[in-house]
Amino acid sequence: MSGDRLASLLDEYAELERRLADPAIHGDQNTARRVGRRFAELTPLHKAADELEQVRADLTAARELAAEDPSFAAEAESIAAALPALEARLAELLIPRDPHDAKDVIVEIKAGEGGEESALFAGDLLRMYLRYAERHGWATEVLDAQDSDLGGVKDVSLAVKARGVPEGGNGVWSRLKWEGGVHRVQRVPVTESQGRIHTSAAGVLVLPEAEDVDVTIDPNELRIDVFRSSGPGGQSVNTTDSAVRITHLPTGIVVSCQNEKSQLQNREQAMRILRARLLANAQEQADAAASDARRSQVRTVDRSERIRTYNFPQNRITDHRIGYTAYNLDLALAGDLDGVLDALAEADRSARLAGGTELTRR
């Protein structure tokens, strides 16, 4: 079975290589980007298969020479010793991967329990992801944000996009997909006069950004309302009805955007978020049909349903899904998230190699 899968994927690689060599494909940048991403995903598999084939050929030749001249026996043994690692690497690459790994994402952060302190923490999370994206050379764009009175955020949508085609098909989603869930903070709030430690939470939802080919939206199934934008405390910040609220009637999904001064720009931003939510909704339905054991990201900001805790007094960050703890919270908030994200990716890889389902993102 794995042999059939390998042959199929290598045939797909060859076809993608042929398409990318055709200048006509670059007339459609969306198609070229999509084909390029898939080609990048399959490139490590192609290289591993080529290397394994070459080593096997070298081993055959060395053994033939050793049969005539015993001095070649050591070389044959050395080549044979390298085979298991190469075979294991190829087997790992043949395990079905997350189909969204090469995609860009939309990150939604919502303040939850804890009032103004939760909004301040949501702002800390936003800055953490902005700094992480900067470290990786990704482009970021705030699609919509509702600020709080003290400088935090009540609700924000952030687009994070890789520049160019991600190497090996490992795009933004492959890293940030682990961030979906409830994030809990333990610290002394700026609003606390007695110096007591409080616990509050913010919710994070990470969506693979959908392309037009991923989701089909019937305009007749949309209700679009326009209204006047407002700032913290309800203060009007716009004298025209430029804010847009889009309701997808079949699913009941509602998206609002008010950041831009133009109604058209707000509508375009809202449609980006809507497409991402519809793609995630379709994926969840498919996952549920395939396996009841698969769980989606947390959508309610309940402190008891946390995936991660940020403890300021101890400078500690703890991911509860895999028991990861590090005492470098200050660095993590400055964008140094690779430690915890690498640990989550490794746990997922181990689970898939063991033949189980992938690590749940909650």
Side-chain angles (χ1 to χ4, degrees), residues 275-333:
R275 280 193 294 269
R277 289 190 184 177
L278 288 173
L279 178 62
N281 188 57
Q283 186 65 52
E284 285 175 8
Q285 292 179 358
D287 290 345
S291 172
D292 292 337
R294 293 283 301 273
R295 294 178 294 176
S296 64
Q297 298 177 40
V298 178
R299 278 171 171 69
T300 58
V301 188
D302 180 341
R303 286 178 300 192
S304 65
E305 296 284 359
R306 83 280 189 199
I307 63 163
R308 190 176 299 154
T309 295
Y310 303 74
N311 185 293
F312 277 70
Q314 299 177 16
N315 195 37
R316 170 174 57 84
I317 180 171
T318 298
D319 195 287
H320 304 286
R321 292 165 292 185
I322 56 173
Y324 173 94
T325 294
Y327 293 87
N328 62 349
L329 176 57
D330 54 340
L331 297 178
L333 291 174

Side-chain angles (χ1 to χ4, degrees), residues 337-354:
L337 282 173
D338 280 327
V340 62
L341 296 182
D342 285 345
L344 285 160
E346 177 58 28
D348 175 66
R349 188 186 74 87
S350 297
R352 290 186 292 113
L353 282 174

Side-chain angles (χ1 to χ4, degrees), residues 97-300:
R97 61 183 294 168
D98 187 327
H100 299 312
D101 271 352
K103 287 186 177 291
D104 300 321
V105 306
I106 292 176
V107 180
E108 298 184 6
I109 307 171
K110 300 178 185 295
E113 296 182 15
E116 191 62 45
E117 162 61 8
S118 177
L120 290 170
F121 177 51
D124 291 337
L125 291 177
L126 172 61
R127 285 183 288 276
M128 179 179 74
Y129 295 132
L130 287 171
R131 290 164 179 165
Y132 183 73
E134 184 179 5
R135 283 170 174 258
H136 285 263
W138 297 334
T140 56
E141 178 186 4
V142 175
L143 302 179
D144 191 55
Q146 297 180 36
D147 298 330
S148 70
D149 293 328
L150 295 183
V153 292
K154 298 177 182 178
D155 193 342
V156 61
S157 296
L158 174 71
V160 186
K161 183 182 291 290
R163 290 186 169 93
V165 175
E167 184 177 352
N170 295 313
V172 182
W173 172 261
S174 72
R175 298 299 287 170
L176 291 187
K177 62 184 175 182
W178 312 114
E179 294 304 290
V182 173
H183 297 240
R184 184 177 68 171
V185 62
Q186 296 171 329
R187 65 183 175 188
V188 178
V190 295
T191 54
E192 169 59 55
S193 60
Q194 304 298 317
R196 293 172 296 187
I197 296 174
H198 287 225
T199 298
S200 61
V204 176
L205 181 63
V206 183
L207 305 168
E209 181 155 13
E211 300 174 32
D212 291 340
V213 296
D214 296 325
V215 176
T216 301
I217 299 177
D218 184 348
N220 296 320
E221 296 178 341
L222 300 178
R223 185 175 71 238
I224 301 176
D225 303 305
V226 295
F227 56 98
R228 203 164 280 183
S229 301
S230 61
Q235 179 184 3
S236 177
V237 295
N238 197 334
T239 57
T240 62
D241 292 337
S242 62
V244 174
R245 180 186 300 110
I246 300 179
T247 303
H248 185 249
L249 299 175
T251 61
I253 294 175
V254 180
V255 178
S256 298
C257 276
Q258 61 176 11
N259 259 32
E260 307 296 338
K261 293 182 180 180
S262 158
Q263 185 183 123
L264 178 60
Q265 288 176 312
N266 280 324
R267 176 171 174 159
E268 290 175 348
Q269 304 290 47
M271 287 298 293
R272 286 179 66 183
I273 298 173
L274 177 60
R275 280 193 294 269
R277 289 190 184 177
L278 288 173
L279 178 62
N281 188 57
Q283 186 65 52
E284 285 175 8
Q285 292 179 358
D287 290 345
S291 172
D292 292 337
R294 293 283 301 273
R295 294 178 294 176
S296 64
Q297 298 177 40
V298 178
R299 278 171 171 69
T300 58

Side-chain angles (χ1 to χ4, degrees), residues 32-53:
R33 181 176 172 82
R34 188 170 64 254
V35 172
R37 281 177 174 173
R38 181 57 176 162
F39 182 77
E41 287 178 12
L42 293 179
T43 295
L45 175 72
H46 178 263
K47 288 182 177 179
D50 269 1
E51 185 177 1
L52 181 59
E53 183 178 359

